[in-house]
Amino acid sequence: MKKWMKKTIAVSMTVGTLALPSLTHAEEMMMPKFDYSGVETITKDGSELAPLRKIAESLGFQVTWNEMNRSITLMKSMMMDDKKMMDEKSNMQDKTMMDKNMDMGGAITIQIDSQTFLVGMKKEMLMVAPTIVNDMAYVPKEFIDTYLLKEMKMMK
């Protein structure tokens, strides 16, 4: 009887271990992808990059450029009533709300020419660093699909 139980446990653990990556992959497949057909992309180091501001603003993010350290901060717009976006100007003027949003981890900060970036206070890595071309910041498509669309899904 003990031998049968050990085999059952071993088989169950093996099946669970094998099924876990499949579940993760299924979740990734269900993640929405951005339609890049309306934006001009570029290729750098074998990766496709897309214009950050245009896409981020279309997804409801506030985009702030910091010239001094060449960084870009993306803030999720707060939701009001039935999925109506809060007016961006009033959100920008309300420093208390912005500080609260940052404390909650609602900010994503990237730095031009750096592969590391912050999601809230957590450091993440990119395969290709963001770059500037013709006064526009470009980021890897994976950044948009993984982080911006994920944030949008969490907001709903």
Side-chain angles (χ1 to χ4, degrees):
M1 186 73 161
K2 286 184 181 183
K3 195 173 193 180
W4 178 81
M5 286 181 63
K6 286 181 182 179
K7 283 183 182 181
T8 303
I9 291 171
V11 169
S12 297
M13 290 178 66
T14 303
V15 169
T17 302
L18 294 174
L20 188 59
S22 298
L23 293 174
T24 303
H25 184 66
E27 181 181 321
E28 288 174 8
M29 288 176 51
M30 291 175 22
M31 286 294 293
K33 298 286 184 194
F34 186 80
D35 179 12
Y36 294 95
S37 62
V39 296
E40 187 176 328
T41 61
I42 63 171
T43 303
K44 179 183 176 186
D45 299 332
S47 290
E48 245 187 308
L49 306 176
L52 178 60
R53 180 179 292 275
K54 182 176 184 177
I55 294 171
E57 287 179 346
S58 76
L59 293 172
F61 286 85
Q62 296 173 339
V63 181
T64 306
W65 168 251
N66 182 326
E67 179 69 37
M68 193 178 321
N69 64 6
R70 295 174 42 100
S71 69
I72 299 166
T73 301
L74 306 169
M75 296 289 293
K76 295 182 289 186
S77 295
M78 299 298 290
M79 302 296 279
M80 288 178 58
D81 297 329
D82 294 326
K83 297 184 181 179
K84 291 181 183 174
M85 292 287 184
M86 186 176 194
D87 180 59
E88 287 186 21
K89 288 181 184 175
S90 66
N91 194 17
M92 288 297 287
Q93 291 170 352
D94 189 351
K95 182 160 175 29
T96 306
M97 185 172 290
M98 284 186 65
D99 290 343
K100 183 178 178 185
N101 227 5
M102 285 184 166
D103 291 342
M104 294 181 345
I108 299 173
T109 305
I110 65 168
Q111 193 162 357
I112 300 302
D113 298 325
S114 173
Q115 289 179 283
T116 60
F117 67 100
L118 293 174
V119 178
M121 300 302 286
K122 184 179 177 191
K123 263 190 181 180
E124 299 285 345
M125 286 287 292
L126 294 169
M127 295 298 289
V128 177
T131 190
I132 294 182
V133 176
N134 297 329
D135 293 328
M136 290 181 18
Y138 284 80
V139 295
K141 284 182 172 182
E142 293 78 20
F143 171 81
I144 293 162
D145 292 336
T146 303
Y147 294 95
L148 299 190
L149 292 178
K150 181 180 176 183
E151 291 295 326
M152 290 304 299
K153 186 176 179 180
M154 289 173 46
M155 286 172 59
K156 292 182 180 183

